[in-house]
Amino acid sequence: MTTATPLIIAIDGPAASGKSTLGLRLAHALDYLFFDTGVMYRAVTWLTLERGFDIDDETAITLLAEKTHIDVAPASAPDGRACDVLVEGQDITWETRLPDVDASVSRVSAYRGVRSALSRQQRRIGLRGKVVMVGRDIGTVVLPEADLKIYLDASAEQRAMRRYHEILLRGGAADYSEILSKVIERDRIDSTRDVAPLKAADDAVIIDSDQMDADAVFEKTLALCR
Ligand code: DC
């Protein structure tokens, strides 16, 4: 008997749980497209700040999400990026990682109109298949028909510690307790919002990575694919 590799793989979970690292490795191993949907929310947030819009102006931000052409393409530079993020053709990959974007992206991604505009685009790309899609609501809302759903979890302390080490490794300065309180605050907003809150799909395989390193999580997921 042969078992087919799942065509649509959804990886959901809280901030800094290792979803992107896992998704990228899996996509390489299977020769699938890697699509981190969080970059779309980040792109709209960056544009909101760039244009000087009020972060509370849901109507204006929704219009922005509906009208802006956001593209995600394979990484064009060997500078640590997982993919290129393009807004109207402009490369804003690193701008989407700015602290100001970090601080506001949960607010923007809670807006119903923003979610429906971006989810529509994500679904269209996902339905092409051979894709590893990473986010918060892929298995529950964007692609409930995904063939394999992973919910990658880890404690807030463990996730904050990983972020802390990442920043130090890049030569930056970091404060662990500040990072931890931001992680907890983002978890709170992402999981209590009215629209598509962060939660595991009923049929997701839940992986808790507190006691597992990135290799072990990858091997376990790859085994599930095969
Ligand atoms: O994974 P990330 O940190 O890049 O996500 C940025 C924000 O976008 C985060 O606040 C959650 C939100 N997001 C979401 O609501 N739904 C998704 N499918 C992906 C991200």
Side-chain angles (χ1 to χ4, degrees), residues 14-19 152-167 176-177 179-181 183-184 187 207-214 217:
S17 58
K19 303 182 300 288
L152 189 57
D153 210 353
S155 65
E157 288 74 15
Q158 184 68 250
R159 290 181 282 126
M161 190 51 81
R162 288 182 198 150
R163 268 280 142 91
Y164 173 74
H165 285 302
E166 269 169 33
I167 297 171
Y176 170 74
S177 42
I179 296 173
L180 178 60
S181 55
V183 163
I184 291 172
D187 284 357
I207 301 179
D208 186 332
S209 72
D210 263 9
Q211 308 299 330
M212 293 166 87
D213 64 13
V217 172

Side-chain angles (χ1 to χ4, degrees), residues 37-38 41-42 105-106 109 115 135-137 186 190 193:
T37 56
Y41 292 96
R42 288 174 175 276
V105 67
S106 284
S109 58
R115 298 206 70 82
R136 303 290 193 288
D137 59 343
R186 277 181 59 192
D190 291 345
R193 68 181 175 221

Side-chain angles (χ1 to χ4, degrees), residues 12-16 19-20 36-42 45 96-97 102 104-107 109-110 115 119 122 134-138 142 163 186 189-190 193 195-196 198:
D12 291 302
K19 303 182 300 288
S20 298
D36 176 2
T37 56
V39 300
M40 295 186 97
Y41 292 96
R42 288 174 175 276
T45 306
T96 64
R97 300 285 153 191
D102 269 340
S104 299
V105 67
S106 284
R107 298 278 300 285
S109 58
R115 298 206 70 82
S119 298
Q122 292 161 10
V134 169
R136 303 290 193 288
D137 59 343
I138 307 304
V142 178
R163 268 280 142 91
R186 277 181 59 192
I189 300 177
D190 291 345
R193 68 181 175 221
V195 201
L198 168 68

